[in-house]
């Protein structure tokens, strides 16, 4: 999961435990052929066999390492151009809260927060980081523009 999300270096060392928790949660909700609650029934996940239902977080599954903007400011007296959130990495589900409550890792403060008020960017950390780095590198912008223009045929 860490490789797929593009997480390497020191950040990888900080998030390996969260990745392990996430892998365990996903394994417990995955259907296994050998697990049946009764004969002639559809295969069920270990979670379903034990609790008799699907977990709350099942309806809002996300990809480990996905980037989201967590809303941090709720004041009405604020400039429209002022940042109202922080960029964070999805690292798991909050199993003790309701549906669509996620555990997020704040890149600035290096801390974990729990929230449901997230705007998803639908991009993994590795790709997002390379896009940010390319946005600050003029030579990369020139190459990207050249690649984009080469796709246009007149």
């Amino acid at each position: 999961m860490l490789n797929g999300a593009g997480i390497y270096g020191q950040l990888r060392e900080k998030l390996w435990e969260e990745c392990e928790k996430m892998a365990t949660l996903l394994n417990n909700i995955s259907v296994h052929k050998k697990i049946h609650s009764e004969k002639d029934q559809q295969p069920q996940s270990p979670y379903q066999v034990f609790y008799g239902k699907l977990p709350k977080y099942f309806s809002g599954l996300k990809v480990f390492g996905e980037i989201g903007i967590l809303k941090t400011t709720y004041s009405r007296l604020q400039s429209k151009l002022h940042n109202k959130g922080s960029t964070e990495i999805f690292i798991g589900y909050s199993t003790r809260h309701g549906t669509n409550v996620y555990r997020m890792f704040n890149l600035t403060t290096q801390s974990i927060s729990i929230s449901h008020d997230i705007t998803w960017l639908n991009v993994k950390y590795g790709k997002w980081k390379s896009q940010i780095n390319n946005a600050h590198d003029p030579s990369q912008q020139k190459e990207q523009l050249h690649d984009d223009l080469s796709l246009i045929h007149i």
Side-chain angles (χ1 to χ4, degrees):
M1 276 198 248
L2 291 168
N3 289 342
I7 298 173
Y8 300 102
Q10 290 180 347
L11 186 57
R12 185 183 189 99
E13 293 174 15
K14 290 180 182 180
L15 296 180
W16 74 267
E17 185 179 356
E18 296 296 329
C19 181
E20 186 273 330
K21 285 180 190 176
M22 177 77 166
T24 302
L25 282 174
L26 292 177
N27 187 45
N28 284 336
I29 65 170
S30 299
V31 174
H32 301 277
K33 288 183 180 180
K34 295 181 181 179
I35 298 177
H36 299 279
S37 58
E38 294 179 16
K39 287 187 177 183
D40 300 330
Q41 252 192 354
Q42 291 287 348
Q44 294 183 331
S45 70
Y47 189 97
Q48 283 177 294
V49 171
F50 191 77
Y51 292 106
K53 62 180 182 176
L54 289 171
K56 295 176 190 175
Y57 55 85
F58 186 78
S59 63
L61 293 177
K62 292 287 177 189
V63 178
F64 185 87
E66 189 171 341
I67 297 292
I69 306 298
L70 177 69
K71 189 172 181 181
T72 56
T73 306
Y74 295 94
S75 172
R76 289 184 172 195
L77 302 172
Q78 183 177 25
S79 168
K80 288 184 179 183
L81 300 177
H82 186 266
N83 287 338
K84 295 175 181 76
S86 61
T87 305
E88 302 196 8
I89 302 173
F90 167 74
I91 56 171
Y93 305 98
S94 177
T95 56
R96 296 184 177 156
H97 292 85
T99 309
N100 296 333
V101 179
Y102 305 102
R103 292 173 53 85
M104 304 294 287
F105 182 77
N106 189 318
L107 295 166
T108 307
T109 63
Q110 303 287 301
S111 63
I112 295 173
S113 55
I114 297 173
S115 180
H116 71 277
D117 199 2
I118 301 166
T119 303
W120 297 102
L121 300 183
N122 297 327
V123 64
K124 292 182 189 175
Y125 173 75
K127 187 173 183 180
W128 173 79
K129 188 175 179 183
S130 67
Q131 289 173 348
I132 295 297
N133 290 340
N134 290 344
H136 298 296
D137 185 7
S139 64
Q140 291 290 333
Q141 289 177 347
K142 232 182 224 184
E143 288 177 23
Q144 182 64 39
L145 180 61
H146 178 68
D147 291 345
D148 291 345
L149 291 175
S150 68
L151 296 175
I152 300 172
H153 298 289
I154 299 175

